[in-house]
Amino acid sequence: MIGIIYDASLDPGLWPRALERACLFVGGSSGALFWHDTATERTAVLHLFNEEAHYTKLYLETYLSLNPCFPAAAFFDVGEVYRSNDMVPFDEMVETRFYDEWMKPQRMIDALGANLEKGATNSSIVSVRLHDQDGFADAEVQRKFALVVPHFQRAVSIARLFDTARASSAVLTETLDTIDSAVFLVGTGGRIVFANDAGRSVLAEKTLLRERNGGLAATDADADRRLRYLFGAAEVGDSMQGDRAQAIPLLPDPHGRWFAHVLPLTSGDRQRSAAVHSAIAAVFVRRSSPASPPPLEALAKLYKLTASEVRLLDAMMKASGVRALAELLGLTEATVKTHLHNVFRKTGTSRQSELVRLLAGYEPPQ
């Protein structure tokens, strides 16, 4: 299963098979790899296993906006496993149009998900859906899914580096040059085999990183030692580094800290890929900022709102009045009133207009 997941990063035609193997291992009936933007309420379905095209079309055209798991699902940290029934209890889910008209006809009762990559309002997600013959996701099912997620994370990252539509050795030069972050591909000994425009600018400045005898080096001595170690580990496989890319602090900054994220490209089946591309690791240079998350996510965490309450708060920016909210969310007016009273209580407000102002004008505590 793991081998197929990584092979899919170079051959997109294998993603449905990778999802199938994941479903068999975890204990689900269908799976999806998709992208979702909570701000625009748009979704792009990338790859599917065992899902009917008819229901996918219905979801995109009608039921996307009625999914009670969004936008709350987008708030989970990258790699964190979540369960639909934890966000929206099943007895609450069955009262929605989303369940009655989309889930129930497919005999779907639960789903596991994880954000593989995450932006301010969007994320790429892998999901395994459980049908009535599978039962609800118990602790063992969730444990197995948590084992699978890091491999999907890595495979998706690798897939973004290489243009599989061209010859197998072609790097996505044009795409990488449009990325704001500095990106490097390094070979053995840290030799630089590719740098995008932002990366070349970083090297020219010589503040964070520099080129040394053709290799990538950090200007800070401690950071450089750590970088050497990770490059060496990548050459022999990355079992020492765990399942995630490693972050190295490069330079402290009062407005944020600069990090080099090192992603090995020689894990397991990636060894033959590394031979083709002459790269053992990818390095992304980014600055972490103390800026707060988007207001809706910040409020959700501050006031401990449930997924259904988050969805209601989000809907208030698009409609007003209980009836309009109920129609927009696919809920009964009684259910909307219940969620509304709970949000009032948690946020210390008493009117919908106060909630809208709270969301529109939210500023994090200093």
Side-chain angles (χ1 to χ4, degrees), residues 84-96:
S84 65
N85 284 341
D86 288 334
M87 289 188 288
V88 183
F90 190 67
D91 58 353
E92 184 178 318
M93 181 73 80
V94 297
E95 299 296 326
T96 67

Side-chain angles (χ1 to χ4, degrees), residues 288-321:
S288 66
S289 169
S292 64
L296 186 60
E297 179 176 352
L299 288 173
K301 292 179 178 179
L302 179 63
Y303 295 110
K304 296 180 173 55
L305 303 180
T306 67
S308 297
E309 292 162 359
V310 168
R311 187 165 171 252
L312 176 70
L313 194 57
D314 182 55
M316 285 182 185
M317 302 299 289
K318 306 160 191 172
S320 61

Side-chain angles (χ1 to χ4, degrees), residues 91-366:
D91 58 353
E92 184 178 318
M93 181 73 80
V94 297
E95 299 296 326
T96 67
R97 279 185 58 198
F98 183 74
Y99 173 82
D100 193 51
E101 300 173 14
W102 193 79
M103 289 180 62
K104 186 177 180 181
Q106 299 181 79
R107 301 170 64 184
M108 194 180 298
I109 61 171
D110 203 353
L112 292 167
N115 296 317
L116 303 178
E117 297 175 325
K118 183 178 174 183
T121 64
N122 58 70
S123 57
S124 58
I125 301 167
V126 63
S127 175
V128 169
R129 285 82 182 268
L130 288 81
H131 296 195
D132 52 11
Q133 69 268 23
D134 305 314
F136 295 108
D138 57 18
E140 177 63 10
V141 169
Q142 293 178 68
R143 184 189 70 83
K144 288 183 175 180
F145 184 68
L147 293 175
V148 172
V149 168
H151 299 292
F152 272 95
Q153 283 181 271
R154 267 200 197 160
V156 167
S157 295
I158 293 168
R160 290 170 63 88
L161 293 177
F162 301 110
D163 185 0
T164 56
R166 301 178 184 178
S168 60
S169 62
V171 178
L172 280 173
T173 304
E174 294 180 3
T175 300
L176 290 175
D177 276 339
T178 66
I179 298 175
D180 292 333
S181 301
V183 181
F184 303 91
L185 298 181
V186 300
T188 57
R191 176 176 54 88
I192 301 172
V193 297
F194 174 84
N196 69 347
D197 283 344
R200 288 188 287 273
S201 296
V202 168
L203 292 177
E205 292 174 1
K206 299 181 181 180
T207 303
L208 303 172
L209 298 169
R210 58 190 176 90
E211 184 176 349
R212 183 174 62 200
N213 299 324
L216 186 65
T219 55
D220 178 81
D222 289 338
D224 191 57
R225 281 192 292 271
R226 179 63 177 161
L227 204 60
R228 300 293 109 208
Y229 169 78
L230 291 181
F231 290 162
E235 288 185 35
V236 297
D238 57 1
S239 60
M240 291 181 288
Q241 301 179 49
D243 292 323
R244 298 173 183 267
Q246 301 293 302
I248 301 173
L250 296 175
L251 187 69
D253 188 302
H255 302 293
R257 299 186 67 192
W258 286 95
F259 287 87
H261 298 263
V262 181
L263 176 71
L265 300 178
T266 54
S267 171
D269 288 348
R270 295 286 62 72
Q271 289 179 2
R272 69 169 180 271
S273 171
V276 172
H277 298 286
S278 301
I280 61 162
V283 181
F284 305 86
V285 179
R286 300 187 182 94
R287 184 173 68 177
S288 66
S289 169
S292 64
L296 186 60
E297 179 176 352
L299 288 173
K301 292 179 178 179
L302 179 63
Y303 295 110
K304 296 180 173 55
L305 303 180
T306 67
S308 297
E309 292 162 359
V310 168
R311 187 165 171 252
L312 176 70
L313 194 57
D314 182 55
M316 285 182 185
M317 302 299 289
K318 306 160 191 172
S320 61
V322 172
R323 179 175 298 179
L325 288 170
E327 183 176 342
L328 178 64
L329 297 172
L331 302 171
T332 65
E333 292 185 26
T335 300
V336 168
K337 288 179 180 177
T338 298
H339 292 326
L340 192 57
H341 287 310
N342 288 337
V343 174
F344 284 153
R345 175 177 52 81
K346 290 182 178 181
T347 59
T349 57
S350 58
R351 299 179 185 176
Q352 292 185 42
S353 59
E354 292 180 34
L355 286 173
V356 172
R357 286 198 299 272
L358 182 66
L359 181 58
Y362 175 76
E363 294 183 3
Q366 299 298 319

